[in-house]
Amino acid sequence: MSTDNIINLNQARKSKSHLKKRAQANENAIKFGRTKAQKRIEDLDAARAAAALDGKKRQDDE
């Protein structure tokens, strides 16, 4: 009788669960992840757009 194919079912279940969670994390990183440089560029662009908008607002002097 060979003992090569005896596995612990709890370990197999947990291993499968960990692999599934890792795959989901990788998908989320691709979908939502941004580098620090990308975040900085987007923040600067938003600040520039806000400043340009503020410069174009009407001044109501009453």
Side-chain angles (χ1 to χ4, degrees):
M1 194 177 237
S2 176
T3 60
D4 291 339
N5 55 354
I6 296 176
I7 60 169
N8 184 329
L9 295 178
N10 282 332
Q11 286 178 343
R13 178 183 50 81
K14 288 180 182 181
S15 177
K16 183 177 177 181
S17 174
H18 288 297
L19 290 174
K20 195 174 189 180
K21 286 181 182 180
R22 173 57 68 190
Q24 182 65 43
N26 289 338
E27 287 178 26
N28 287 342
I30 292 169
K31 194 183 300 184
F32 300 111
R34 297 179 297 166
T35 64
K36 187 181 276 190
Q38 288 171 330
K39 290 178 189 177
R40 186 175 295 135
I41 289 169
E42 289 174 6
D43 289 342
L44 289 173
D45 287 343
R48 266 190 227 117
L53 184 62
D54 287 342
K56 293 178 182 178
K57 285 186 179 177
R58 281 185 26 185
Q59 296 281 330
D60 289 333
D61 294 327
E62 293 183 22

Coordinates of all heavy atoms in Angstrom, one line a residue:
M1 N 0.9 -1.2 0.0 CA 0.0 0.0 0.0 C 0.9 1.2 0.0 O 1.8 1.4 0.8 CB -0.9 0.0 1.2 CG -2.0 0.9 1.2 SD -3.1 0.8 2.6 CE -4.6 0.4 1.8
S2 N 0.6 2.2 -0.9 CA 1.4 3.4 -1.0 C 0.8 4.5 -0.3 O -0.4 4.7 -0.3 CB 1.5 3.7 -2.5 OG 2.2 4.9 -2.7
T3 N 1.6 5.3 0.4 CA 1.1 6.5 1.1 C 1.4 7.8 0.4 O 1.3 8.9 0.9 CB 1.8 6.6 2.5 OG1 3.2 6.7 2.3 CG2 1.5 5.3 3.3
D4 N 1.7 7.7 -0.9 CA 2.0 8.9 -1.7 C 0.8 9.8 -2.0 O 0.9 11.0 -2.1 CB 2.7 8.5 -3.0 CG 4.1 8.0 -2.8 OD1 4.7 8.2 -1.8 OD2 4.6 7.3 -3.7
N5 N -0.4 9.2 -2.0 CA -1.5 9.9 -2.4 C -2.5 10.2 -1.2 O -3.6 10.5 -1.4 CB -2.3 9.2 -3.5 CG -2.6 7.8 -3.2 OD1 -2.2 7.3 -2.1 ND2 -3.4 7.1 -4.0
I6 N -2.0 10.2 0.0 CA -2.7 10.6 1.1 C -2.6 12.1 1.3 O -1.5 12.6 1.4 CB -2.3 9.8 2.4 CG1 -2.5 8.3 2.2 CG2 -3.0 10.4 3.6 CD1 -2.0 7.5 3.4
I7 N -3.7 12.8 1.4 CA -3.7 14.2 1.6 C -4.5 14.6 2.8 O -5.5 13.9 3.1 CB -4.1 15.0 0.3 CG1 -5.5 14.6 -0.1 CG2 -3.1 14.7 -0.8 CD1 -6.1 15.5 -1.1
N8 N -4.2 15.7 3.4 CA -5.0 16.3 4.4 C -6.1 17.2 3.8 O -5.7 18.1 3.1 CB -4.1 17.1 5.4 CG -4.9 17.6 6.6 OD1 -6.1 17.9 6.5 ND2 -4.2 17.8 7.7
L9 N -7.3 16.8 3.9 CA -8.4 17.5 3.2 C -8.5 19.0 3.7 O -8.8 19.9 2.9 CB -9.7 16.8 3.4 CG -9.8 15.4 2.8 CD1 -11.1 14.8 3.0 CD2 -9.5 15.5 1.3
N10 N -8.2 19.2 5.0 CA -8.3 20.6 5.5 C -7.2 21.5 4.8 O -7.4 22.6 4.4 CB -8.1 20.7 7.0 CG -9.4 20.3 7.7 OD1 -10.5 20.5 7.2 ND2 -9.2 19.7 8.9
Q11 N -6.0 20.9 4.7 CA -4.9 21.6 4.0 C -5.2 21.9 2.6 O -5.0 23.0 2.0 CB -3.6 20.9 4.2 CG -3.0 20.9 5.5 CD -1.7 20.1 5.6 OE1 -1.4 19.3 4.8 NE2 -0.9 20.4 6.7
A12 N -5.8 20.9 1.9 CA -6.2 21.1 0.5 C -7.2 22.1 0.3 O -7.2 23.0 -0.6 CB -6.7 19.7 -0.1
R13 N -8.2 22.1 1.2 CA -9.3 23.2 1.2 C -8.7 24.5 1.4 O -9.0 25.5 0.7 CB -10.4 22.8 2.2 CG -11.5 23.8 2.3 CD -12.5 23.5 3.4 NE -11.9 23.2 4.6 CZ -11.5 24.2 5.5 NH1 -11.6 25.4 5.2 NH2 -11.0 23.8 6.7
K14 N -7.9 24.7 2.4 CA -7.3 26.0 2.7 C -6.4 26.5 1.6 O -6.3 27.6 1.3 CB -6.5 25.9 4.0 CG -7.4 25.8 5.2 CD -6.7 25.8 6.5 CE -7.6 25.7 7.7 NZ -6.8 25.6 9.0
S15 N -5.6 25.6 1.0 CA -4.7 25.9 -0.1 C -5.5 26.4 -1.3 O -5.2 27.4 -1.9 CB -3.9 24.7 -0.5 OG -3.1 25.0 -1.6
K16 N -6.6 25.7 -1.6 CA -7.5 26.2 -2.7 C -8.1 27.5 -2.4 O -8.1 28.4 -3.3 CB -8.6 25.1 -2.9 CG -9.5 25.4 -4.0 CD -10.5 24.3 -4.2 CE -11.5 24.6 -5.3 NZ -12.6 23.6 -5.4
S17 N -8.5 27.8 -1.2 CA -9.0 29.1 -0.8 C -8.0 30.2 -0.9 O -8.3 31.2 -1.4 CB -9.5 29.0 0.7 OG -10.0 30.2 1.1
H18 N -6.8 29.9 -0.5 CA -5.7 30.9 -0.6 C -5.4 31.2 -2.0 O -5.2 32.4 -2.4 CB -4.4 30.4 0.1 CG -4.5 30.4 1.6 ND1 -4.7 31.6 2.4 CD2 -4.5 29.4 2.5 CE1 -4.8 31.2 3.7 NE2 -4.6 29.9 3.8
L19 N -5.4 30.2 -2.9 CA -5.1 30.5 -4.3 C -6.2 31.3 -4.9 O -6.0 32.2 -5.7 CB -5.0 29.2 -5.0 CG -3.7 28.3 -4.7 CD1 -3.8 27.0 -5.4 CD2 -2.5 29.1 -5.1
K20 N -7.5 31.0 -4.5 CA -8.6 31.8 -5.0 C -8.5 33.3 -4.6 O -8.8 34.2 -5.4 CB -9.9 31.1 -4.5 CG -11.1 31.6 -5.3 CD -12.3 30.7 -4.7 CE -13.5 30.9 -5.6 NZ -14.6 30.1 -5.1
K21 N -8.2 33.5 -3.3 CA -8.1 34.8 -2.8 C -6.9 35.6 -3.5 O -7.0 36.8 -3.8 CB -7.9 34.8 -1.3 CG -9.1 34.5 -0.5 CD -8.9 34.5 1.0 CE -10.1 34.1 1.7 NZ -9.9 34.1 3.2
R22 N -5.8 34.9 -3.7 CA -4.7 35.5 -4.4 C -5.0 35.9 -5.8 O -4.7 37.0 -6.3 CB -3.5 34.6 -4.4 CG -2.3 35.0 -5.2 CD -1.7 36.4 -4.8 NE -1.2 36.3 -3.4 CZ -0.8 37.3 -2.7 NH1 -0.9 38.6 -3.2 NH2 -0.3 37.2 -1.5
A23 N -5.8 35.1 -6.5 CA -6.2 35.4 -7.9 C -7.1 36.6 -7.9 O -7.0 37.5 -8.7 CB -6.9 34.2 -8.5
Q24 N -8.0 36.7 -6.9 CA -8.9 37.9 -6.8 C -8.1 39.1 -6.5 O -8.4 40.2 -7.1 CB -10.0 37.6 -5.8 CG -11.0 38.7 -5.6 CD -11.8 38.9 -6.9 OE1 -12.3 37.9 -7.4 NE2 -12.1 40.1 -7.3
A25 N -7.1 39.0 -5.6 CA -6.3 40.2 -5.3 C -5.5 40.7 -6.5 O -5.4 41.9 -6.7 CB -5.4 39.8 -4.1
N26 N -5.0 39.8 -7.3 CA -4.3 40.1 -8.5 C -5.2 40.8 -9.5 O -4.8 41.8 -10.1 CB -3.6 38.9 -9.1 CG -2.5 38.4 -8.3 OD1 -1.9 39.1 -7.5 ND2 -2.1 37.2 -8.5
E27 N -6.4 40.3 -9.6 CA -7.4 41.0 -10.5 C -7.7 42.4 -10.1 O -7.8 43.4 -10.8 CB -8.7 40.2 -10.6 CG -8.6 38.9 -11.4 CD -9.9 38.1 -11.4 OE1 -10.9 38.7 -11.3 OE2 -9.8 36.9 -11.6
N28 N -7.9 42.6 -8.8 CA -8.2 43.9 -8.2 C -7.0 44.8 -8.4 O -7.2 46.0 -8.6 CB -8.6 43.8 -6.7 CG -9.9 43.2 -6.5 OD1 -10.7 43.1 -7.5 ND2 -10.2 42.7 -5.3
A29 N -5.8 44.3 -8.2 CA -4.6 45.2 -8.4 C -4.5 45.7 -9.8 O -4.2 46.8 -10.0 CB -3.4 44.4 -8.0
I30 N -4.9 44.9 -10.7 CA -4.8 45.3 -12.1 C -6.0 46.3 -12.4 O -5.8 47.3 -13.1 CB -5.0 44.1 -13.1 CG1 -3.7 43.2 -13.0 CG2 -5.2 44.5 -14.5 CD1 -3.8 41.9 -13.7
K31 N -7.1 46.0 -11.8 CA -8.3 46.8 -12.1 C -8.2 48.2 -11.4 O -8.5 49.2 -12.0 CB -9.6 46.1 -11.7 CG -10.9 46.7 -12.2 CD -12.1 46.0 -11.6 CE -12.1 44.5 -12.0 NZ -13.3 43.8 -11.5
F32 N -7.8 48.2 -10.1 CA -7.9 49.4 -9.3 C -6.5 50.0 -9.0 O -6.5 51.1 -8.5 CB -8.7 49.1 -8.0 CG -10.1 48.7 -8.2 CD1 -10.4 47.4 -7.9 CD2 -11.0 49.5 -8.8 CE1 -11.7 46.9 -8.1 CE2 -12.3 49.1 -9.0 CZ -12.7 47.8 -8.7
G33 N -5.5 49.2 -9.1 CA -4.2 49.7 -8.7 C -3.6 50.8 -9.5 O -3.7 50.8 -10.7
R34 N -3.0 51.7 -8.9 CA -2.3 52.8 -9.5 C -0.9 53.0 -8.8 O -0.9 52.8 -7.6 CB -3.0 54.1 -9.5 CG -4.4 54.1 -10.2 CD -5.1 55.4 -10.1 NE -5.4 55.6 -8.7 CZ -5.8 56.8 -8.2 NH1 -5.9 57.8 -9.0 NH2 -6.0 57.0 -7.0
T35 N 0.1 53.4 -9.5 CA 1.3 53.7 -8.9 C 1.3 55.0 -8.2 O 0.4 55.8 -8.5 CB 2.5 53.7 -9.9 OG1 2.3 54.7 -10.8 CG2 2.6 52.3 -10.7
K36 N 2.3 55.3 -7.4 CA 2.3 56.5 -6.7 C 2.5 57.7 -7.7 O 1.9 58.8 -7.5 CB 3.5 56.5 -5.7 CG 3.5 57.8 -4.8 CD 4.7 57.8 -3.9 CE 4.4 57.0 -2.6 NZ 5.4 57.1 -1.6
A37 N 3.3 57.5 -8.7 CA 3.5 58.5 -9.7 C 2.2 58.8 -10.4 O 1.9 60.0 -10.7 CB 4.6 58.1 -10.7
Q38 N 1.4 57.8 -10.8 CA 0.1 58.0 -11.4 C -0.8 58.8 -10.6 O -1.5 59.7 -11.0 CB -0.5 56.6 -11.8 CG 0.2 55.9 -12.9 CD -0.3 54.5 -13.1 OE1 -0.8 53.9 -12.2 NE2 -0.3 54.0 -14.4
K39 N -0.9 58.5 -9.3 CA -1.7 59.2 -8.3 C -1.3 60.6 -8.3 O -2.2 61.5 -8.3 CB -1.7 58.6 -6.9 CG -2.3 57.2 -6.9 CD -2.2 56.6 -5.5 CE -2.6 55.2 -5.4 NZ -2.4 54.6 -4.1
R40 N 0.0 60.9 -8.2 CA 0.5 62.3 -8.1 C 0.1 63.1 -9.4 O -0.3 64.2 -9.3 CB 2.0 62.2 -7.9 CG 2.6 63.6 -7.7 CD 4.1 63.6 -7.4 NE 4.3 62.9 -6.1 CZ 5.2 61.9 -5.9 NH1 6.0 61.6 -6.9 NH2 5.4 61.3 -4.8
I41 N 0.3 62.4 -10.5 CA -0.1 63.1 -11.8 C -1.5 63.4 -11.8 O -1.9 64.5 -12.2 CB 0.4 62.2 -13.0 CG1 1.9 62.2 -13.1 CG2 -0.3 62.7 -14.3 CD1 2.4 61.2 -14.1
E42 N -2.4 62.5 -11.4 CA -3.8 62.7 -11.4 C -4.2 63.8 -10.5 O -5.1 64.7 -10.8 CB -4.6 61.5 -11.1 CG -4.5 60.5 -12.3 CD -5.1 59.1 -11.9 OE1 -5.7 59.0 -10.8 OE2 -5.0 58.2 -12.7
D43 N -3.5 63.9 -9.3 CA -3.8 65.0 -8.3 C -3.4 66.3 -8.9 O -4.1 67.3 -8.7 CB -3.1 64.7 -7.0 CG -3.7 63.5 -6.2 OD1 -4.8 63.2 -6.5 OD2 -3.0 63.0 -5.3
L44 N -2.2 66.4 -9.5 CA -1.8 67.6 -10.1 C -2.7 68.1 -11.2 O -3.0 69.3 -11.4 CB -0.3 67.5 -10.7 CG 0.7 67.4 -9.6 CD1 2.1 67.1 -10.3 CD2 0.8 68.6 -8.8
D45 N -3.2 67.2 -12.1 CA -4.1 67.5 -13.1 C -5.4 68.0 -12.6 O -6.0 69.0 -13.1 CB -4.4 66.3 -14.0 CG -3.2 65.9 -14.9 OD1 -2.4 66.8 -15.1 OD2 -3.2 64.8 -15.5
A46 N -5.9 67.4 -11.5 CA -7.1 67.9 -10.9 C -7.0 69.3 -10.3 O -7.8 70.1 -10.4 CB -7.6 66.9 -9.8
A47 N -5.8 69.5 -9.6 CA -5.5 70.8 -9.1 C -5.4 71.9 -10.2 O -6.0 73.0 -10.0 CB -4.2 70.8 -8.3
R48 N -4.8 71.6 -11.3 CA -4.7 72.5 -12.4 C -6.1 72.8 -13.0 O -6.4 73.9 -13.3 CB -3.9 71.9 -13.5 CG -2.4 72.4 -13.5 CD -1.7 71.9 -14.7 NE -0.4 71.3 -14.3 CZ 0.0 70.1 -14.4 NH1 -0.8 69.3 -15.1 NH2 1.1 69.7 -14.0
A49 N -6.9 71.8 -13.1 CA -8.3 72.0 -13.6 C -9.1 72.8 -12.7 O -9.9 73.7 -13.1 CB -9.0 70.6 -13.8
A50 N -9.0 72.6 -11.4 CA -9.7 73.4 -10.4 C -9.2 74.9 -10.4 O -10.0 75.8 -10.4 CB -9.5 72.8 -9.0
A51 N -7.9 75.1 -10.6 CA -7.4 76.5 -10.6 C -7.9 77.1 -11.9 O -8.2 78.3 -11.9 CB -5.9 76.4 -10.6
A52 N -7.9 76.4 -13.0 CA -8.4 77.0 -14.3 C -9.9 77.4 -14.2 O -10.3 78.4 -14.6 CB -8.2 76.1 -15.4
L53 N -10.6 76.5 -13.5 CA -12.1 76.8 -13.3 C -12.3 78.0 -12.4 O -13.1 78.8 -12.7 CB -12.8 75.5 -12.8 CG -14.3 75.6 -12.6 CD1 -14.9 75.8 -14.0 CD2 -14.8 74.4 -12.0
D54 N -11.5 78.1 -11.4 CA -11.6 79.2 -10.4 C -11.3 80.5 -11.2 O -11.9 81.6 -10.9 CB -10.7 79.0 -9.2 CG -11.2 78.0 -8.3 OD1 -12.4 77.7 -8.3 OD2 -10.5 77.5 -7.4
G55 N -10.4 80.5 -12.1 CA -10.0 81.7 -12.8 C -11.0 82.1 -13.8 O -11.1 83.3 -14.2
K56 N -11.9 81.2 -14.2 CA -13.0 81.6 -15.2 C -14.3 81.9 -14.5 O -15.3 82.2 -15.2 CB -13.1 80.4 -16.1 CG -11.9 80.2 -17.0 CD -12.0 79.0 -17.9 CE -10.8 78.9 -18.7 NZ -10.8 77.7 -19.6
K57 N -14.4 81.8 -13.2 CA -15.7 82.1 -12.6 C -15.9 83.6 -12.6 O -15.0 84.5 -12.6 CB -15.6 81.7 -11.1 CG -15.7 80.2 -10.9 CD -15.9 79.9 -9.5 CE -16.0 78.4 -9.3 NZ -16.1 78.0 -7.9
R58 N -17.2 83.9 -12.7 CA -17.6 85.4 -12.8 C -17.5 86.0 -11.4 O -17.8 85.3 -10.4 CB -19.1 85.5 -13.2 CG -19.2 85.3 -14.7 CD -20.6 85.6 -15.2 NE -21.4 86.4 -14.3 CZ -22.7 86.7 -14.5 NH1 -23.3 86.1 -15.5 NH2 -23.3 87.5 -13.7
Q59 N -17.1 87.2 -11.4 CA -17.1 87.9 -10.1 C -18.3 88.9 -10.1 O -18.5 89.7 -10.9 CB -15.8 88.8 -10.1 CG -14.5 88.0 -10.1 CD -14.2 87.4 -8.7 OE1 -14.6 88.0 -7.7 NE2 -13.6 86.3 -8.7
D60 N -19.2 88.7 -9.2 CA -20.3 89.5 -9.0 C -20.0 90.6 -8.0 O -20.0 90.3 -6.8 CB -21.6 88.7 -8.6 CG -22.1 87.8 -9.7 OD1 -21.9 88.2 -10.9 OD2 -22.7 86.8 -9.4
D61 N -19.8 91.8 -8.5 CA -19.5 92.9 -7.6 C -20.8 93.7 -7.4 O -21.3 94.4 -8.2 CB -18.4 93.8 -8.2 CG -17.1 93.1 -8.3 OD1 -16.8 92.3 -7.4 OD2 -16.3 93.4 -9.2
E62 N -21.3 93.6 -6.2 CA -22.6 94.3 -5.9 C -22.4 95.2 -4.8 O -21.6 95.2 -4.0 CB -23.7 93.3 -5.6 CG -24.1 92.5 -6.8 CD -25.2 91.6 -6.5 OE1 -26.0 91.8 -5.5 OE2 -25.4 90.6 -7.2

